[in-house]
Amino acid sequence: MNAISSHRLLAGLTCLAVFTCGPAHAQDLRNGGKLLLTNGVSTIEGSGGGGLATWSTIAGNATQEGIGASAHGTIIELPDYNWTSYGVSLGFFDRVELSYARQNLDTIDVGTALGLGRGYTLNQDVFGAKLRVAGDVVYGDALMPQIAVGVQHKRSSDDAVVAAVGGASPQGTDFYISATKLFLSHSVLANATVRFTKANQGGLLGFGSATQNNHKPQFEGSLAYQVSRRFVIGGEYRTKPDNLAIAREDDWLDLFAAYALTRNVTVTAAYVDLGSIATADNQRGGFLSLQAAF
Amino acid sequence: MISLVFALALSTLQETPIADEPAVAGEAVPEPQRDPVTGELPVDPYEMSNAHAGAAPFTGTGMRDAFHGEEGIRRVVDGMVDRAIVDPRISEVFVSHDLVRLRRALFEQFCHILNAGCDYTGRDMEASHRDLGLQVDDLNVLVENLQAAMASEKIGFAAQNRFLSKLAPMKRDVVTH
Ligand code: HEM
């Protein structure tokens, strides 16, 4: 980061912290300047990315000249579960992203089977921070991706369930490094992320177990084709640890289509295969997410 | 640009004896005359080279055809410039620049890169944009104007992106802020 942008970052953060951004600051900032869809969409963990996989893109529509924000809501309908999540994120100068997401997994009848009661809902808060360390997703050297590092601190609200399924802790922190590039010559966006995690089902079933309690590297890959300025289709694959003795955990995949209705509103629809979740196999279904970004 | 003119004018003033100050400043900078044939304003001499276009041209005729040859390329350049100079987000940047020359140089550059049979005779990207103080937001707006012009010319989106892939690395020379 050069001296000017780090100075601007500090000024912006201070101005945000005390909520007294005077007209002078407002004039210096220039918000909403990103090209359509180049900020990605919100993941179910709240960070900027595809639907399931985190990318190195910084949330919101601002470039290095401004501060951006986004909010999203996502529903996933599965044979045995209903997922809802929502969250907000802030992007500072296309450099730093702060995010929060709330995840809720309604266990419907599985809740009865597991003795939790019908419709028992597992909840989790995810607090994220991401730093772009190099590169640019659109510009610069055609082969140099945008690279970011990030953390996601996750807090499950269901300590008793986590203990009952054999999770070692209801809280955990994932670390990741992510590389994303829009290869304009082929209209293809590619992303690869390595995440160090011990989360069981993303953390909804806690972190680690008595026998498996280390952060393990997992892979998240996305490949997308830009059909038009507003329309992108693609697929994602995400590997997951398999720490719990009582239930197998599978990798995730999705096939998605994202459409920018306006400069600010993006809708993403996907087919998702989340595999086996807490003894219920073949959780394949529909994913719908709405994002507003500024 | 304007501040540069002032700075030059000031330094001229400083070197001038105070006594004949008003008359000399006026005479020293005569109104530049447009070339009667090209309609362009004169510029300081510079070396010419296709390398100044800033990107290696495509090979083959695919991209030339996708842009409908020289005629199509001219419509794309004019469409982009027409949009840029009235786009409230960037129009100010173009005030008091020679748009006749800009259109001609952009046409040559695009035509050269698209392998449609032109040589580029303009300045390199670093020299052309050095004094403009452009931000990445300005570049994104111009890209949007270019995308709109290419869409009006009914150029397929994949070919649009292929062309943009030649321009994307120029950001380092164009964006100085
Ligand atoms: C990759 C993107 C760009 C390319 C390929 C490009 C290309 C060119 C070319 C070929 C010239 C003429 C050079 C000459 O006169 O010899 C030029 C000049 C100019 N460009 Fe760009 N340009 C780009 C980005 C921008 C942007 C983002 C702006 C402003 C929003 C801009 C504003 C200007 C202006 C005002 C001039 C005239 C400078 C002068 O009068 O000396 N350009 N550009």
Side-chain angles (χ1 to χ4, degrees), chain B residues 34 38-40 97-105:
Chain B
R34 288 197 177 269
T38 63
E40 294 181 16
H97 287 282
D98 182 355
L99 296 182
V100 178
R101 178 185 169 89
L102 179 63
R103 286 176 201 267
R104 194 257 305 160

Side-chain angles (χ1 to χ4, degrees), chain A residues 4 8 28 30-36 63-65 136 138-142 182-188 225-230 263, chain B residues 58 89-90 134-141 143-144 147-148 157-172 175 177:
Chain A
I4 296 172
R8 288 167 52 84
D28 286 345
R30 198 168 166 190
N31 298 325
K34 270 189 195 143
L35 289 170
L36 221 50
T63 66
Q64 65 190 51
E65 304 300 336
D136 187 317
V138 181
Y139 294 114
D141 190 319
L182 174 57
F183 296 100
L184 282 165
S185 53
H186 295 94
S187 295
V188 166
Y225 182 76
Q226 211 184 357
V227 179
S228 77
R229 233 163 59 83
R230 295 183 177 280
R263 188 176 278 283
Chain B
F58 288 102
R89 297 170 295 176
I90 57 169
L134 297 176
Q135 301 180 334
V136 66
D137 294 50
D138 299 311
L139 179 54
N140 284 348
V141 173
V143 167
E144 286 178 7
Q147 287 178 320
F157 192 71
Q160 292 186 23
N161 269 350
R162 273 194 87 194
F163 181 50
L164 291 181
S165 77
K166 293 285 190 185
L167 306 185
M170 298 179 198
K171 179 198 164 200
R172 74 173 78 87
V175 174
H177 189 266

Side-chain angles (χ1 to χ4, degrees), chain A residues 21 40 42 71 99 108 142 154 168:
Chain A
C21 319
S42 306
S99 61
I108 323 176
K154 303 175 172 185

Side-chain angles (χ1 to χ4, degrees), chain B residues 46 90 93-94 97-98 101-102 105-106 109 120 122-123 125 128-129 132 134 138-139 142 167 170 174:
Chain B
Y46 59 92
I90 57 169
V93 180
F94 296 92
H97 287 282
D98 182 355
R101 178 185 169 89
L102 179 63
L106 279 168
Q109 185 190 33
Y120 179 66
R123 291 168 288 203
M125 292 304 99
S128 311
H129 301 91
L132 299 177
L134 297 176
D138 299 311
L139 179 54
L142 193 73
L167 306 185
M170 298 179 198
V174 167

